[in-house]
Amino acid sequence: MTTVGTALDVITMGRIGVDIYPLQTGVPLAEVESFGKFLGGSPTNVAVAAARLGRAAAVISRTGDDPFGEYCHRALREFGVDDRWVTAVPEYPTPVTFCEIFPPDDFPLYFYRLPKAPDLVIHADELDLAAVRSARIFWMSGTGLCEEPSRSATLAALAARAEGGRAADQVATVFDLDWRPMFWKSGAWKGGARGDGSPEAARPVYRAALAHATVAVGNLDECEVATGVREPRACAEALLAAGVELAVVKQGPAGVLAVHRDGTVVEAQPHPVEVVNGLGAGDAFGGALCHGLLAGWDLHRLTRFANAAGALVAGRLACSSAMPHPHEVEELLGGGPADRGTDREGILP
């Protein structure tokens, strides 16, 4: 675990909770007889993935003051992720998420985040903005923009990253577009958007965040929310026009398109893998993307490595505990043991 005062490679901000996943595959939730409990929440999983790859990572989030909150802290520490900025909100329970597993591409999610998720009660005046600014990579998600006070806190963190120009040690400020329409149902934003669950309501807030980000990552649905267009190359160009330097468009079985402002374009096909649970693939991709950015890899190597990490987790049941180690990704890239006996395409959600 990173100690106080040590520079952090990655700080993520946003959702945390407990994933309750069936231990039976292809069974409706009503008929499942046994479950596994795992640390969850996309930004949290990205931090775990980065830590598995040897990076010093931390999470900014909040849990309930309850046993599931205690579990989240314990799990973070076991994964080597700094939990100093994960605090309790006594009035709200730690979120729980259930899923159904119907491989290769049907994984319905059921979020229990009412009356309000603690990770949406992050206040701007409670942030360690000096740490946010000094982190080599800061990773935030679209869900953090869906409701106050998290929305203002997330935008404040982004503004701190950009204040006075990019700090010398900053590598990237990443916006995971992470569109979850069910979270955008109430409240208003000063920019005029109301949270009615529509892309049009979210788009002005997304654009405000994109103005401070250097990297944007999302699938086609998420890119369309942010840009209003859907064709992959048009999405990438629109994200670049909105202010980022690198746009990464995930296209499921069609692979990944990455376009850099310098004109570099990479189109990477997914690695074949027998899909078990595709829900954690995008988070593994994110942690591996951070790893490659920190290593200074060229866009081709970066995209291939992130693709391989996502494919590995698509072939496993869990999310956080399934995040790969570096040697596993390298084995898959080299056609080694991790790539044997597979026959389906990994899908990055």
Side-chain angles (χ1 to χ4, degrees):
M1 171 150 329
T2 305
T3 58
V4 175
T6 303
L8 286 159
D9 294 319
V10 180
I11 294 179
T12 69
M13 179 175 177
R15 292 203 314 276
I16 192 170
V18 180
D19 289 343
I20 308 294
Y21 283 179
L23 298 182
Q24 292 89 43
T25 298
V27 179
L29 200 56
E31 299 176 15
V32 173
E33 295 182 353
S34 58
F35 297 85
K37 181 181 78 203
F38 307 97
L39 180 68
S42 182
T44 299
N45 289 337
V46 170
V48 170
R52 276 276 171 91
L53 295 170
R55 300 300 178 175
V59 177
I60 299 172
S61 192
R62 305 197 75 180
T63 69
D65 187 11
D66 53 28
F68 277 152
E70 294 173 12
Y71 165 75
C72 289
H73 278 279
R74 186 173 71 249
L76 284 170
R77 292 191 293 266
E78 289 173 352
F79 286 128
V81 176
D82 195 319
D83 66 342
R84 77 180 95 160
W85 295 303
V86 180
T87 58
V89 181
E91 58 266 40
Y92 299 128
T94 301
V96 174
T97 303
F98 288 84
C99 80
E100 293 177 306
I101 300 177
F102 297 103
D105 57 4
D106 186 17
F107 309 102
L109 281 167
Y110 302 87
F111 294 96
Y112 291 80
R113 292 170 58 85
L114 297 174
K116 186 171 185 174
D119 54 60
L120 294 177
V121 193
I122 301 173
H123 295 270
D125 60 5
E126 297 170 342
L127 294 174
D128 185 343
L129 293 179
V132 169
R133 180 167 169 76
S134 65
R136 298 178 70 196
I137 290 179
F138 176 67
W139 178 289
M140 47 72 63
S141 78
T143 296
L145 300 171
C146 76
E147 192 171 335
E148 294 291 1
S150 172
R151 179 184 300 142
S152 292
T154 303
L155 293 173
L158 289 170
R161 293 281 291 178
E163 184 179 348
R166 185 186 298 185
D169 290 339
Q170 285 185 17
V171 172
T173 300
V174 186
F175 182 1
D176 176 4
L177 301 178
D178 182 42
W179 171 240
R180 307 281 179 175
M182 70 286 292
F183 299 158
W184 291 75
K185 292 184 178 178
S186 63
W189 183 55
K190 61 184 178 182
R194 294 203 62 83
D196 60 2
S198 70
E200 292 75 18
R203 194 165 295 136
V205 196
Y206 271 52
R207 288 196 175 276
L210 284 168
H212 295 306
T214 62
V215 179
V217 183
N219 61 31
L220 282 176
D221 290 338
E222 293 164 341
C223 290
E224 184 176 11
V225 170
T227 67
V229 297
R230 187 169 182 86
E231 191 277 326
R233 185 61 184 266
C235 285
E237 296 294 345
L239 290 168
L240 294 177
V244 304
E245 298 170 9
L246 173 62
V248 181
V249 183
K250 298 182 289 188
Q251 305 172 72
V256 175
L257 170 68
V259 182
H260 196 278
R261 181 167 295 189
D262 66 8
T264 306
V265 178
V266 172
E267 296 185 60
Q269 294 301 308
H271 287 271
V273 63
E274 185 172 359
V275 175
V276 175
N277 182 0
L279 293 174
D283 301 335
F285 182 98
L289 183 73
C290 291
H291 179 65
L293 288 169
L294 290 163
W297 291 344
D298 64 73
L299 192 56
H300 180 73
R301 181 180 180 187
L302 173 68
T303 307
R304 286 186 69 242
F305 188 90
N307 245 347
L312 281 169
V313 175
R316 299 170 177 178
L317 173 64
C319 292
S320 55
S321 60
M323 295 302 164
H325 296 277
H327 72 275
E328 295 177 300
V329 183
E330 296 296 348
E331 284 177 350
L332 180 57
L333 286 170
D339 195 27
R340 293 176 186 162
T342 59
D343 59 6
R344 290 180 181 166
E345 289 182 329
I347 298 174
L348 293 175

